[in-house]
C-alpha cells in the first residue's frame, strides 16, 4: 500500500496479462471496463466479455456475446455472486434494451437473451441488479432506468426472464371517480389541499413517481423476497419496495425531492442537480452540484437515513471543499459521475469524469474533510472493498509486487555493476550509453508511478549500504582477517561506496533522480553520508598512514576543528592511551544497538561497519551516553567512588569530540559532493520535507549538547589546569551543536519555528558565554606577552568571533569588539560597525535587537550610539522611536530639523511630575523653536506650546504634568475659589485674563471646540472691573482716560487677542466675525447698565483694538462701517465702533 498522504485507503490490483494484451490491441481505447462491488469482480468488454476476480487473477472467464448485442454504445454489466455459493451470474444490458444473461458463468453456455423494452424510443440510462436466493436455482432481480422517466423490473431464473414496466407516462395513475361522482372528485382534491396546507413534508415528498429521466438506479436486497430500488433523476429520488416470489408486488414508498431539501436546509444557491447515487440498507448518499455566488460549480454530498417503509430523513448535506473534477455537469446522463458508499462507515468515494478519485470522511460528525486520492488517466474503475478500503482498477497504480520489486533490483544491479566495471577498467564508455532506456524500463516496471512505488529506490539504496558480505560471517577467513588487521572492513566499505555512488550517478544521468519524491531523495543522500561516516571512522580507528591519503580523511583533517582541537589537546597534555579503547567501546555499543536478524552472527564492531544506515545513528546515542557519564562525574565534583581524575575526563571529552567531528566533517564532504555531482541539494530537500537532516535532528543535537555540557562541567573542576586546551574542544562541539540548530530552524516553516528558535537561543546563551570567557582570557594573555601588545592570530578568539557572528550572538560579538578595541584601538576601533554592516536578521527576532542598539543604549553610552556611521541611520532611527529622549538629538545630527521640532514638542508635553520638569520643558520648547526656524517653518505650533508652558509657570503649576488647553482654562477660571492659585498669580491680571490668553493662542479648531469656555472667560474679564466706580472716577478727570482704560483686564484681553492674531481684520464678514462675536457679548452683558457704562465698556474695547495695530484697526473700521449699513444693524453698535 502507499506510504504518503492518504493513499493507504486505496487498494490496487494488477490486471492479468491476457487482459493487458486485450487492452493493448488497436482500438482498445473504446473498450468498456468496470468493477462489480459484491464479490470483487472486474470486467472488460471487447468482442467478448472478460471477467475475473481482482483478488484471484487465475479465475478468468471470457464470455462470447450473442449476435443481437451491440457493444458500439454504452453497455451496463453486473457480475453477481454470493459468498456462500460458487455461482456467478452475469447480466449485460445495452443502451437499446437488449439483455443477455448468464445465470452461471462457470459454464460456457449460451446466454439467455431478452428485450427489456419494445418501445424504440426507450434508451436505457442506468442498470442495477442483485442475486436472488431461489430454491429452483440461481436467479436475479434487476432494475433498468430509461430517459423518458420510466423504469423496468427485470427478474430471471432458469425458468426465463420476465420484464415489467414501472413508472413513466404509460403507467401513471389515472384519476378515478367514486360512487359520489363529481362530488367525490371534489372532496378528494379538497383533502389534497388540506394536506399541503397542514403537512409541511408534502413539499418534499410526493405520492407519485417523478416521471423524470433516470440518471442512476440502485437496488438493495432487504431479505430473501424483498428489495428496494432507488431511482434518481436530476431533482428527485424515488424509492420502490418490490416483493418477488410467488406473490410479487410493487409499491412506491416515496418520491423525495432531495434537491429542494438541499437548497433550503443546506442553503445551496442557484440550480441544484443530482449527479450520482449509491445506497446501503440504512442510508442513501447523493452527489449534488450547484452554482456558487462566484458563478462556478460547487459539489456537495447529501446523505439521508432510510428504514424499511418510512420516509427518509436528511442526515447532512456537506460541501465537498477542495475537490473540483474536470468535466461538464450538464452531461450527467452519460454516467460520468460515480459514487460508492462505504458499506459500514461514514465514508464515500467520489469518481469524477476526469478519473479523479477523492474520499469524503467524517461528514456526519460535523467535520467533513475531503482527501484527494488519485487522478490518473489510466484509471478504469473503482469499488468498495471493506471499511476505509477502496479498490481501483488501473494499469499502473498500486504498490509493486514482490516479483516486480525483484525485477527492479535486478535491473539496478545490472546497471550499477556495469558502471563500476567500466570505471575500474577505465573503459571509454560514457555513462549515458550505459543508462540509455533505464528511465523507460523502470517506468514500465511501475517503479516511477505512483509516488508510493518510488520507495523501491530507497529500499535498494539501503540494501546496498547494509549489504552483508559472505566473508564477514563469523569463523570465515575474512572474519579472521578482520580481527587481525581490519583491512577487509576498508575493502568492503570502499566497495559499498563505489556501488552506491554508481547507483546515484546512473539515476542522475538517466533523469530518474529528479523524478523521485523528496523523501526518497533524502534516503539516497543520507545513505551516502552514512557510508562516508563509517569509512572515515574506520580510517581513524586503524591509524594507518595509508589511510591519511584518503580524500575524506584529508577533508576531515583540514575542515574539522574538533580533530585539530584534539591534536592540540594531545600535544599540551600527557599522553593518554584511553582514547583508543574509548573509540572502540563507542563503536561496539553502536553495534549492539544495531544488531538484529541476520547480523546476530557478527561481533558488535563488525555489525557497526556492516550496517551503516542504522549504526551511525546509534553511534550518536553511544556518544550521548558516554558524555552524560563524564558530565555526571564532573558535575558531582569527582566525589563518588570510581570517578576518574580531571585529566582523564578531559581526554575523554576530547576523544568524544573527535568522533563527533569526524562524523560531521565526513557527512558534510559527501553532502557537498552529492549536490555537485548527483543534483541532490540537501537544504532544498529538508525544507521541502520540513525536517532536519539526520545529524541536525534531535539525536545529533542531543549528542552535541550533552558533550558540550560535559566540557563545561570538566572546565569547572577544581585544580583543573587545562582550561585553554579544553576550550578548543568545547568550541568544536558548540560549533557542531549550533550548526545543527541553524539547519533545523532553516528546514521548518515560518509558523513552526517558535519553539525551536527559543531552544536555539537558550543553547547559545548557555555555552557561548562560557566559551567567550576562555577565549578572552587567552587573548589578553597573548596581547600582554606580545611586544606590540596585539593578540596573536592563532588564538581562539577569532574563531569564537566568527561563530558568534554566524549564529546571531550579538552580545558576545559586542564584548569581543570591545575587548579587541581595548587592545588595539587604531586597528579594531571600527570592528563593531563592520559586524553591524554584515549582520543578518534571525527568524522570529525583531530587527531592532542588534548588538549596537541595545548595548550602547543600556550602558548609557549615548554619544557613541549617536555617532555611529551614517549608513546605519535608518536602523538607528527605527530603534530610537522607542527612546524619544535621544531621537531628537539624532534628528538634529542628521539635519532633519522639522522632525526634530515635532519630537521636541512631543517630549515637552510628556514632561512633568518632578521639580525641574518645567524648566526642562521650556528648554525643549526653545530647542523646538530653533529647530522649526532652521527647517524654515513658521513655528506656530512651538509658539503655542511656549505660551502654554509659560501659563503653567504663571499659574504656579510647574510641578505638574503638562495640561491641555481646556484644563488650563478651567484652572484659570477657578482662581477665585482657590486662594493658593490666586496668590501664585498675584502679580498678574488674574485667572480670567489667563483663560482668554490660553484660548487666544490655540488654533481656531480648538477654540471652536471650547466655545463655552471662550465666552465664560470674556464674561469674567468684563466682571473683573467695577465699571460704575470707574465711571464715577473718570467723571471729573478726562485727561487720564486712556491710561486708566489700558489698565483694565478688558483692554488687556482685547490687545492680547490682536497680538495673537485671534481677531481677524479685513473687508469680509468672516474676518471680522471674531470681533463681532465679542462685541455682541459685551453689549448683551451691559444691556442693564447705564448708557455711560455701556459707552465706557465699548470705548475700552475700541481703544484696545486701535492701539494694538492702527492698520488693522482701520481695516476693521471699514468692515464695521460696511456692516452698519446692512439692514437690522444696531445704531448704538455703529456709533461705538466709529
Amino acid at each position: 500500500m502507499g506510504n504518503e498522504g492518504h493513499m493507504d485507503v486505496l487498494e490496487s490490483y494488477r490486471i492479468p496479462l491476457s487482459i493487458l494484451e486485450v487492452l493493448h490491441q488497436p482500438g482498445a481505447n473504446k473498450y468498456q471496463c468496470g468493477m462489480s462491488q459484491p464479490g470483487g469482480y472486474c470486467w472488460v468488454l471487447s468482442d467478448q466479455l472478460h471477467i475475473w476476480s481482482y483478488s484471484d487473477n487465475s479465475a478468468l472467464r471470457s464470455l462470447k456475446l450473442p449476435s443481437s448485442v451491440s457493444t458500439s454504445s454504452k453497455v451496463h454489466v453486473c457480475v453477481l455472486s454470493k459468498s456462500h455459493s460458487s455461482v456467478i451470474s452475469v447480466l449485460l444490458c445495452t443502451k437499446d434494451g437488449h439483455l443477455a444473461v448468464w445465470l452461471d458463468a462457470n459454464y460456457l453456455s449460451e446466454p439467455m437473451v431478452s428485450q427489456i423494452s419494445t418501445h424504440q424510443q426507450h434508451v436505457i440510462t442506468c442498470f442495477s441488479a442483485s442475486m436472488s436466493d431461489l430454491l429452483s436455482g440461481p436467479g436475479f432481480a434487476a432494475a433498468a432506468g430509461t430517459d423518458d422517466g420510466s423504469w423496468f423490473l427485470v427478474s430471471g431464473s432458469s425458468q426465463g426472464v420476465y420484464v415489467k414496466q414501472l413508472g413513466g407516462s404509460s403507467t401513471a395513475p389515472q384519476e378515478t371517480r367514486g360512487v359520489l361522482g363529481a362530488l367525490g372528485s371534489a372532496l378528494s382534491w379538497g383533502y389534497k389541499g388540506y394536506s399541503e396546507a397542514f403537512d409541511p413534508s408534502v413539499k418534499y415528498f410526493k405520492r407519485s413517481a417523478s416521471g423524470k429521466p433516470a440518471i442512476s438506479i440502485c437496488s438493495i436486497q432487504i431479505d430473501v423476497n424483498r428489495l428496494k430500488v432507488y431511482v434518481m433523476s436530476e431533482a428527485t429520488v424515488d424509492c420502490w419496495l418490490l416483493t418477488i416470489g410467488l406473490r410479487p408486488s410493487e409499491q412506491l414508498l416515496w418520491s423525495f425531492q432531495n434537491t429542494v431539501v438541499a437548497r433550503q436546509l443546506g442553503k445551496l444557491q442557484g440550480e441544484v442537480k443530482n449527479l450520482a447515487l449509491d445506497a446501503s440498507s440504512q442510508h442513501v448518499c447523493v452527489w449534488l452540484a450547484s452554482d456558487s455566488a462566484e458563478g462556478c460549480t460547487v459539489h456537495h454530498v447529501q446523505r439521508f437515513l432510510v428504514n424499511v417503509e418510512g420516509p427518509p430523513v436528511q442526515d447532512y448535506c456537506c460541501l465537498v471543499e477542495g475537490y473540483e473534477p474536470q468535466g461538464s455537469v450538464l452531461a450527467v446522463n452519460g454516467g460520468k459521475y460515480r459514487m460508492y458508499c462505504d458499506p459500514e462507515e461514514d465514508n464515500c468515494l467520489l469518481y469524477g469524469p476526469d478519473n479523479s478519485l477523492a474520499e469524503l470522511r467524517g461528514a456526519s460528525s460535523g467535520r467533513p474533510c475531503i482527501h484527494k486520492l488519485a487522478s490518473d488517466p489510466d484509471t478504469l474503475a473503482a469499488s468498495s472493498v471493506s471499511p476505509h478500503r477502496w479498490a481501483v482498477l488501473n494499469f499502473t497504480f498500486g504498490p509493486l509486487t514482490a516479483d516486480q520489486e525483484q525485477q527492479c533490483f535486478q535491473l539496478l544491479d545490472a546497471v550499477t555493476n556495469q558502471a563500476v566495471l567500466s570505471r575500474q577498467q577505465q573503459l571509454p564508455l560514457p555513462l549515458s550509453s550505459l543508462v540509455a532506456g533505464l528511465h523507460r524500463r523502470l517506468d514500465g516496471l511501475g517503479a516511477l508511478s505512483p509516488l508510493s512505488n518510488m520507495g523501491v529506490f530507497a529500499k535498494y539504496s539501503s540494501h546496498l549500504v547494509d549489504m552483508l558480505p559472505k566473508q564477514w560471517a563469523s569463523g570465515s577467513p575474512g572474519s579472521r582477517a578482520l580481527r587481525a588487521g581490519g583491512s577487509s572492513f576498508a575493502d568492503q566499505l570502499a566497495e559499498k561506496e563505489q556501488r552506491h555512488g554508481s547507483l546515484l550517478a546512473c539515476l542522475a544521468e538517466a533523469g530518474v533522480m529528479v523524478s523521485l519524491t523528496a523523501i526518497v531523495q533524502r534516503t539516497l543522500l543520507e545513505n551516502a553520508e552514512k557510508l562516508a561516516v563509517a569509512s572515515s571512522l574506520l580510517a581513524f580507528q586503524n591509524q594507518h598512514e595509508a589511510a591519511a591519503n584518503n580524500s575524506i580523511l584529508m577533508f576531515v583533517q583540514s575542515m574539522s576543528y574538533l580533530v585539530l582541537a584534539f591534536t592540540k589537546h594531545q600535544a599540551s597534555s600527557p599522553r593518554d592511551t584511553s582514547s583508543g579503547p574509548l573509540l572502540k567501546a563507542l563503536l561496539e555499543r553502536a553495534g549492539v544497538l544495531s544488531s538484529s536478524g541476520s547480523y546476530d552472527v557478527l561481533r558488535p564492531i563488525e555489525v557497526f561497519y556492516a550496517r551503516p544506515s542504522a549504526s551511525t545513528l546509534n553511534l550518536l546515542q553511544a556518544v550521548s551516553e558516554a558524555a552524560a557519564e563524564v558530565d555526571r562525574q564532573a558535575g558531582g565534583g569527582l566525589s563518588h567512588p570510581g570517578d576518574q581524575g580531571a585529566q582523564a575526563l578531559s581526554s575523554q571529552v576530547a576523544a568524544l569530540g573527535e568522533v563527533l567531528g569526524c562524523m560531521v566533517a565526513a557527512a558534510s564532504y559527501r553532502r557537498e559532493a552529492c549536490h555537485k555531482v548527483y543534483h541532490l541539494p540537501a537544504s532544498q530537500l529538508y525544507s521541502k520535507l520540513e525536517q532536519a537532516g539526520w545529524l541536525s535532528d534531535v539525536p545529533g543535537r542531543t549528542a552535541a549538547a550533552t558533550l558540550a555540557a560535559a566540557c563545561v562541567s570538566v572546565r569547572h573542576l577544581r585544580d583543573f589546569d587545562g582550561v585553554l586546551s579544553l576550550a578548543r574542544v568545547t568550541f568544536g562541539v558548540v560549533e557542531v551543536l549550533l550548526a545543527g540548530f541553524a539547519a533545523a530552524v532553516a528546514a521548518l516553516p515560518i509558523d513552526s519555528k517558535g519553539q525551536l528558535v527559543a531552544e536555539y537561543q537558550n543553547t547559545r546563551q548557555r555555552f557561548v558565554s562560557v566559551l567567550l570567557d576562555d577565549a578572552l582570557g587567552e587573548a589578553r594573555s597573548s596581547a600582554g606577552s606580545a611586544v606590540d601588545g596585539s593578540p596573536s592570530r592563532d588564538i581562539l578568539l577569532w574563531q569564537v568571533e566568527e561563530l558568534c557572528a554566524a549564529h546571531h550572538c550579538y552580545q558576545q560579538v559586542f564584548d569581543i569588539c570591545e575587548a579587541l578595541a581595548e587592545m588595539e584601538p587604531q586597528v579594531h576601533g571600527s570592528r563593531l560597525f563592520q559586524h553591524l554592516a554584515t549582520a543578518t536578521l534571525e527568524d522570529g527576532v525583531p530587527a531592532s535587537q542588534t548588538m549596537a542598539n541595545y548595548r550602547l543604549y543600556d550602558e548609557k553610552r549615548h554619544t557613541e550610539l549617536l555617532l555611529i556611521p551614517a549608513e546605519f541611520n535608518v536602523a538607528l532611527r527605527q530603534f530610537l522611536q522607542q527612546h524619544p529622549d535621544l531621537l531628537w538629538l539624532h534628528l538634529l545630527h542628521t539635519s532633519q530639523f522639522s522632525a526634530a521640532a515635532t519630537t521636541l514638542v512631543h517630549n515637552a508635553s510628556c514632561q512633568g511630575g518632578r521639580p525641574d520638569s518645567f524648566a526642562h520643558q521650556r528648554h525643549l520648547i526653545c530647542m523646538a523653536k530653533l529647530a522649526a526656524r532652521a527647517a524654515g517653518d513658521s513655528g506656530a505650533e512651538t509658539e503655542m506650546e511656549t505660551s502654554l508652558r509659560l501659563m503653567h509657570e504663571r499659574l504656579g503649576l510647574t510641578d505638574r504634568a503638562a495640561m491641555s488647553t481646556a484644563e488650563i482654562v478651567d484652572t484659570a477660571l477657578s482662581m477665585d475659589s482657590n486662594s493658593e492659585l490666586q496668590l501664585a498669580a498675584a502679580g498678574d491680571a488674574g485667572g480670567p485674563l489667563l483663560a482668554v490668553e490660553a484660548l487666544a493662542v490655540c488654533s481656531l479648531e480648538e477654540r471652536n471646540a471650547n466655545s463655552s469656555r471662550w465666552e465664560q472667560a470674556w464674561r469674567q474679564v468684563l466682571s473683573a472691573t467695577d465699571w460704575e466706580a470707574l465711571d464715577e472716577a473718570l467723571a471729573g478727570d478726562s485727561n487720564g482716560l486712556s491710561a486708566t482704560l489700558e489698565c483694565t483686564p478688558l483692554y488687556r484681553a482685547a490687545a492680547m487677542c490682536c497680538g495673537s492674531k485671534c481677531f481677524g481684520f479685513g473687508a469680509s464678514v468672516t474676518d471680522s466675525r471674531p470681533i463681532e462675536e465679542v462685541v455682541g457679548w459685551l453689549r448683551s452683558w451691559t444691556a442693564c447698565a447705564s448708557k455711560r457704562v455701556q459707552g465706557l465698556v465699548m470705548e475700552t474695547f475700541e481703544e484696545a483694538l486701535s492701539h494694538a495695530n492702527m492698520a488693522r484697526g482701520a481695516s476693521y473700521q471699514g468692515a464695521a462701517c460696511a456692516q452698519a449699513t446692512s439692514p437690522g444693524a444696531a445704531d448704538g453698535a455703529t456709533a461705538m465702533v466709529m
Side-chain angles (χ1 to χ4, degrees), residues 659-824:
V659 173
L660 187 60
C662 178
M663 296 178 66
V664 173
S668 301
Y669 171 80
R670 183 60 67 202
R671 183 176 302 171
E672 290 296 327
C674 289
H675 186 190
K676 295 177 181 179
V677 180
Y678 309 129
H679 313 295
L680 282 174
S683 58
Q684 296 181 15
L685 286 180
Y686 295 137
S687 297
K688 187 182 298 184
L689 294 171
E690 299 180 358
Q691 296 177 354
W694 67 284
L695 278 175
S696 303
D697 212 349
V698 176
R701 299 199 306 269
T702 301
T706 308
L707 185 54
C711 292
V712 173
S713 298
V714 173
R715 175 190 178 276
H716 290 125
L717 285 175
R718 184 180 301 176
D719 301 331
F720 178 64
D721 56 357
V723 173
L724 292 181
S725 61
L726 182 60
R728 298 182 180 276
V729 177
T730 306
F731 169 79
V733 177
V734 173
E735 183 183 27
V736 171
L737 175 60
L738 297 186
F741 269 109
V745 169
L748 291 180
I750 296 178
D751 54 351
S752 303
K753 293 183 179 182
Q755 182 177 356
L756 189 60
V757 168
E759 186 180 351
Y760 182 22
Q761 293 173 341
N762 294 335
T763 303
R764 292 189 320 230
Q765 187 66 26
R766 177 185 179 186
F767 296 116
V768 175
S769 57
V770 177
L771 188 62
L772 181 58
D773 292 341
D774 296 340
L776 288 176
E778 182 188 21
R780 294 188 178 97
S781 176
S782 174
S785 60
V787 177
D788 56 353
S790 61
S792 174
R793 299 306 302 177
D794 61 349
I795 61 174
L796 184 60
L797 185 62
W798 307 110
Q799 286 78 21
V800 174
E801 179 189 22
E802 183 179 356
L803 176 70
C804 294
H807 294 281
H808 313 285
C809 302
Y810 299 130
Q811 295 189 17
Q812 287 74 19
V813 170
F814 186 93
D815 292 335
I816 292 173
C817 294
E818 291 285 288
L820 292 174
E822 181 182 352
M823 299 176 193
E824 291 183 289

Side-chain angles (χ1 to χ4, degrees), residues 310-322:
V313 178
Q314 176 169 294
D315 186 13
Y316 60 78
C317 181
C318 67
L319 173 66
V320 183
E321 201 167 3

Side-chain angles (χ1 to χ4, degrees), residues 402 405 409 412 454-466 503 520 523-524 527:
E405 182 178 282
F409 274 35
L412 294 174
M454 294 183 183
V456 68
F457 297 97
K459 189 173 183 180
Y460 181 75
S461 172
S462 300
H463 165 73
L464 285 182
V465 172
D466 295 340
L503 170 67
V520 175
T523 303
L524 297 177
N527 281 339

Side-chain angles (χ1 to χ4, degrees), residues 1065-1095:
F1065 296 91
S1068 68
V1069 178
T1070 303
D1071 293 334
S1072 61
R1073 183 174 298 168
I1075 299 179
E1076 288 299 321
E1077 184 179 42
V1078 177
V1079 168
W1081 289 341
L1082 295 177
R1083 291 181 61 238
S1084 64
W1085 293 336
T1086 59
C1088 297
S1090 63
K1091 293 293 185 180
R1092 292 177 56 84
V1093 171
Q1094 294 180 17

